[in-house]
Amino acid sequence: MLTTIKGYYDHGQIVLEETPPVKTKTEVMVTFLTGETAKNQSPKRKLGGLEGKVTIPDDFNEPLGDLKDYM
């Protein structure tokens, strides 16, 4: 079972924000999220980024001629 618990590293200790759901000795893996991690992520997409670059034909909602026999 994999469980993720948020916490922070402070002066050589890892402090968890929640109590882990285990009662016995359990193997763990720790990932450090540093400021560099945020810099390496791609920027969020901007809404409307393709405005003016994409056009929709006027007959977009008209039935296709290929499907005329089925309608």
Side-chain angles (χ1 to χ4, degrees):
M1 172 177 79
L2 294 176
T3 302
T4 302
I5 298 176
K6 190 173 181 179
Y8 57 91
Y9 177 82
D10 186 31
H11 295 95
Q13 291 188 342
I14 296 174
V15 180
L16 302 177
E17 293 182 0
E18 302 174 31
T19 303
V22 295
K23 304 278 186 220
T24 60
K25 183 177 180 178
T26 305
E27 184 178 57
V28 298
M29 295 188 300
V30 177
T31 302
F32 290 92
L33 302 174
T34 62
E36 289 180 24
T37 304
K39 291 178 187 175
N40 293 336
Q41 293 178 352
S42 61
K44 297 211 180 230
R45 293 183 199 169
K46 181 181 130 191
L47 266 161
L50 292 176
E51 186 175 5
K53 297 179 183 177
V54 177
T55 58
I56 298 174
D58 293 334
D59 64 346
F60 180 78
N61 287 326
E62 299 298 319
L64 297 174
D66 296 344
L67 301 175
K68 197 182 304 181
D69 296 337
Y70 301 102
M71 300 176 106

